């Protein structure tokens, strides 16, 4: 986190020195790689864990869960920075500020991953939100960016107000803001009206951050209006931070309190949100003709899948949720990167603009096919494996018996089948439909090399995590066990 903050501070100054994108991108990548190496060394036990005891009154802690989530955020920011330098959508004039804001947003995500207190989580979330508002508005020469940023600020402000109100009600009913103590306090005081109102307000406030239905309205407009690298950051990083908040605040509190209080009402609350998010996201995605809006609605559905872990509240389901968060970074990130690469090549954002893409860019079309099939859950790709683990967590309990959440798994499987319809529309456009103008013999689309490399890495990871999930799954199991105190 400190390395990222240093990056945020020096990036504007570096811009005044170099005035070009390439050296700034190189410096930023070095900073990110140093941060990744340090985190991996901590996560794998190569060096001793960081002792946060006494730091800011014990408001932060590094453990297997926070380390894994930080790794996820670092992968996201590495992909975003790597392609930003060659993206025609990213501003050149304010590139130093753009890079600085990316680092501030990543620092905020890492802040949330390590926080042990509601106030620290709130500060981290707002750091990400405020940075994101500006990043959305920084797209070059596109009036949709300003409109998206205004909508994002207004809805973000509403979610912040709801969150503050919820935190105040929770504090008033439990008399603590410490995450570990909140479960014990709930067990002691039980449910009160103040607690229930605070819980609903906080779920709504952070529900906006992850674009879970019915708090999802901003996502399609913002993803469409923002530059594609920023859309990648929002879809794969910012939303995952919201899921981390759900896990650290609500799941931790209820699993601690479950020995004394009945947690089923909260489980059903999350189950209903998960079911609505999956269904609304997938059904509305069918009607979309703009591919960025289609991917945005797909992201809403994917958030619903991950929220299954919140409803089930078992160690195995959480493992599946964490694993799906990682696979989602590569499959959804890869799909957005192809969209961004094609925009750089002059291709539009409508699905009809992808007609005949397989002839002009066969490798790119094949990579898109892999990402879309993975998002739909087609074996043996990563999306299938992570959904299998996640959905089976809703079917089987710790002792191997069928749980009461089998209906939620059925809805998730049904929604995966629905999603295949609109993903196949894109594949049909690429491989079956004829383009408005037939390409001349030998004509190929030219995309930036950085996009090509990033897309190739994402495609390889989607295949590798599908056939060899243990690469990440073991770390997810450790992180899940950490949250359940095993």
């Amino acid at each position: 986190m400190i390395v990222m903050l240093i990056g945020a501070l020096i990036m504007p100054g570096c811009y005044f020195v170099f005035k070009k994108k390439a050296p700034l991108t190189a410096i930023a990548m070095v900073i990110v790689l140093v941060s990744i190496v340090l985190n991996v060394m901590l996560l794998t036990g190569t060096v001793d864990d960081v002792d946060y005891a006494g730091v800011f009154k014990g408001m932060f802690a590094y453990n297997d869960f926070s380390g894994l989530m930080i790794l996820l955020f670092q992968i996201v920011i590495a992909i975003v920075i790597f392609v930003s330098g060659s993206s025609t959508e990213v501003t050149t004039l304010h590139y130093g500020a753009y890079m600085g804001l990316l680092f501030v947003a990543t620092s905020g995500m890492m802040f949330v991953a390590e926080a042990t207190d509601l106030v620290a989580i709130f500060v981290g979330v707002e750091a990400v939100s405020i940075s994101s508002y500006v990043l959305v508005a920084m797209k070059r020469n596109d009036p949709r960016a300003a409109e998206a940023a205004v909508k994002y600020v207004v809805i973000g402000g509403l979610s912040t107000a709801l969150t503050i109100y919820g935190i105040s009600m929770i504090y008033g009913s439990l008399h603590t803001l410490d995450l570990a103590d909140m479960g014990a306090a709930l067990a002691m005081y039980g449910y009160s009206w103040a607690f229930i109102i605070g819980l609903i307000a906080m779920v709504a406030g952070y529900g906006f951050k992850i674009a879970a239905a019915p708090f999802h309205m901003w996502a399609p407009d913002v993803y469409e209006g923002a530059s594609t690298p920023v859309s990648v950051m929002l879809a794969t990083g910012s939303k995952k931070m919201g899921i981390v908040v759900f896990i650290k605040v609500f799941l931790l509190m209820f699993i601690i309190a479950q020995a004394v209080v009945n947690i089923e009402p909260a489980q059903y609350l999350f189950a209903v949100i998960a079911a609505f998010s999956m269904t609304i996201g997938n059904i509305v995605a069918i009607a979309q003709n703009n591919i960025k809006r289609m991917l945005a609605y797909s992201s809403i559905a994917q958030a619903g899948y991950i929220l299954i872990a919140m409803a089930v509240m078992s160690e195995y389901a959480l493992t599946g949720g964490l694993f799906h968060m990682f696979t989602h970074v590569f499959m959804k990130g890869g799909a957005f990167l192809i969209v961004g690469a094609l925009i750089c090549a002059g291709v539009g954002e409508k699905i009809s603009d992808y007609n005949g893409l397989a002839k002009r860019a066969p490798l790119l079309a094949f990579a898109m096919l892999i990402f879309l099939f993975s998002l739909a859950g087609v074996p043996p790709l990563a999306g299938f494996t992570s959904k299998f683990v996640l959905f089976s967590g809703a079917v089987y309990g710790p002792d191997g018996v069928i749980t009461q959440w089998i209906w939620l798994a059925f809805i998730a499987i049904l929604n995966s089948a629905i999603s295949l319809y609109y993903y196949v529309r894109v594949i049909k456009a690429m491989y079956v439909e004829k383009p408005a103008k037939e390409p001349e013999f030998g004509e190929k689309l030219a995309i930036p090399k950085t996009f090509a490399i990033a897309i190739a890495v994402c495609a390889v990871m989607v295949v590798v995590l599908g056939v060899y999930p243990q690469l990440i799954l073991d770390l997810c199991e450790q992180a899940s066990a950490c949250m359940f105190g095993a």
Side-chain angles (χ1 to χ4, degrees):
M1 187 165 65
I2 294 173
V3 176
M4 291 292 181
L5 286 173
I6 292 172
L9 291 173
I10 68 171
M11 277 295 116
C14 290
Y15 177 76
F16 283 106
V17 174
F18 297 104
K19 300 285 186 183
K20 291 182 179 177
K21 281 186 173 182
L24 258 70
T25 305
I27 294 170
M29 283 302 299
V30 170
I31 292 170
V32 173
L33 291 175
V34 168
S35 176
I36 290 175
V37 169
L38 291 174
N39 185 43
V40 170
M41 290 172 69
L42 286 169
L43 194 58
T44 57
T46 307
V47 295
D48 294 336
D49 287 350
V50 178
D51 183 10
Y52 283 101
V55 178
F56 292 108
K57 298 182 179 180
M59 294 172 73
F60 301 96
Y62 185 93
N63 52 36
D64 289 338
F65 178 80
S66 57
L68 185 66
M69 292 299 99
I70 287 172
L71 180 62
L72 184 147
F73 301 140
Q74 289 169 328
I75 292 171
V76 171
I77 198 65
I79 294 172
V80 172
I81 288 175
F82 189 62
V83 300
S84 288
S86 54
S87 173
T88 56
E89 300 175 90
V90 173
T91 177
T92 304
L93 186 60
H94 304 289
Y95 195 61
Y98 170 86
M99 280 291 176
L101 288 167
L102 283 179
F103 278 118
V104 170
T106 311
S107 301
M109 296 177 203
M110 297 164 77
F111 211 78
V112 170
E114 297 187 27
T116 61
D117 184 278
L118 273 183
V119 173
I121 284 180
F122 178 79
V123 171
V125 170
E126 288 310 302
V128 178
S129 299
I130 294 169
S131 306
S132 301
Y133 303 151
V134 184
L135 285 168
V136 169
M138 291 180 80
K139 185 180 179 182
R140 289 195 332 178
N141 304 323
D142 191 340
R144 294 179 302 174
E147 181 185 344
V150 170
K151 289 180 180 177
Y152 200 12
V153 168
V154 171
I155 296 176
L158 175 63
S159 72
T160 299
L162 281 170
T163 304
I164 292 174
Y165 181 70
I167 290 175
S168 66
M169 297 297 280
I170 293 284
Y171 181 69
S173 57
L174 300 183
H175 310 295
T176 181
L177 294 176
D178 186 272
L179 299 181
D181 293 341
M182 283 170 59
L186 178 59
M188 179 185 300
Y189 298 113
Y191 293 120
S192 64
W193 281 110
F195 174 80
I196 294 171
I197 293 171
L199 176 68
I200 293 172
M202 282 189 66
V203 168
Y206 288 125
F208 278 111
K209 304 298 182 189
I210 63 171
F215 318 110
H216 63 282
M217 296 76 71
W218 60 271
D221 291 335
V222 171
Y223 287 13
E224 183 185 8
S227 64
T228 307
V230 173
S231 296
V232 172
M233 193 271 285
L234 295 175
T236 61
S238 176
K239 285 182 66 174
K240 303 297 181 299
M241 176 204 65
I243 300 287
V244 170
V245 173
F246 268 70
I247 294 170
K248 295 196 74 163
V249 177
F250 305 120
L251 189 142
L252 187 61
M253 177 170 61
F254 285 111
I255 59 176
I256 291 174
Q258 65 181 341
V260 179
V261 300
N262 179 17
I263 65 170
E264 276 199 0
Q267 288 179 290
Y268 275 102
L269 172 66
F270 293 120
V272 169
I273 295 174
F276 269 108
S277 299
M278 293 179 230
T279 308
I280 292 174
N282 282 319
I283 289 178
V284 181
I286 293 173
Q288 302 306 312
N289 292 317
N290 181 296
I291 193 159
K292 289 177 85 172
R293 293 184 71 86
M294 187 205 79
L295 291 173
Y297 279 106
S298 164
S299 286
I300 294 165
Q302 298 287 337
Y305 298 142
I306 298 170
L307 284 176
I308 289 175
M310 290 297 303
V312 178
M313 292 192 183
S314 72
E315 188 175 325
Y316 183 57
L318 181 58
T319 299
L322 297 178
F323 186 41
H324 193 66
M325 287 165 68
F326 263 91
T327 60
H328 187 252
V329 167
F330 296 110
M331 52 194 184
K332 181 56 64 72
F336 265 118
L337 287 175
I338 290 177
V339 175
L342 290 175
I343 290 173
C344 293
V347 177
E349 297 176 12
K350 293 180 180 177
I351 293 176
S352 58
D353 293 327
Y354 285 52
N355 289 355
L357 184 67
K359 290 183 179 176
R360 291 181 291 167
L363 293 177
L364 215 56
F366 185 66
M368 182 63 107
L369 179 144
I370 289 176
F371 295 136
L372 295 180
F373 273 160
S374 183
L375 284 165
V378 174
L381 301 171
F384 166 78
T385 310
S386 59
K387 281 185 179 179
F388 179 82
V389 178
L390 179 58
F391 296 171
S392 61
V395 175
Y396 297 106
D399 48 4
V401 299
I402 303 295
T403 72
Q404 60 180 318
W405 305 108
I406 190 169
W407 62 272
L408 193 56
F410 177 76
I411 291 175
I413 293 168
L414 186 63
N415 270 284
S416 292
I418 294 171
S419 70
L420 192 58
Y421 174 80
Y422 60 82
Y423 290 137
V424 168
R425 276 183 61 205
V426 181
I427 295 169
K428 178 171 174 276
M430 293 189 300
Y431 284 92
V432 179
E433 301 291 344
K434 292 183 179 179
K437 178 187 174 186
E438 284 291 340
E440 296 179 6
F441 180 75
E443 181 187 358
K444 300 291 181 185
L445 284 175
I447 66 168
K449 289 181 181 177
T450 54
F451 273 94
I453 294 170
I455 292 165
V457 170
C458 288
V460 168
M461 289 303 296
V462 166
V463 175
V464 169
L465 290 178
V467 297
Y468 184 60
Q470 297 305 321
L471 186 65
I472 294 293
L473 193 56
D474 287 344
L475 292 174
C476 296
E477 288 174 348
Q478 293 174 19
S480 181
C482 172
M483 293 304 292
F484 278 80

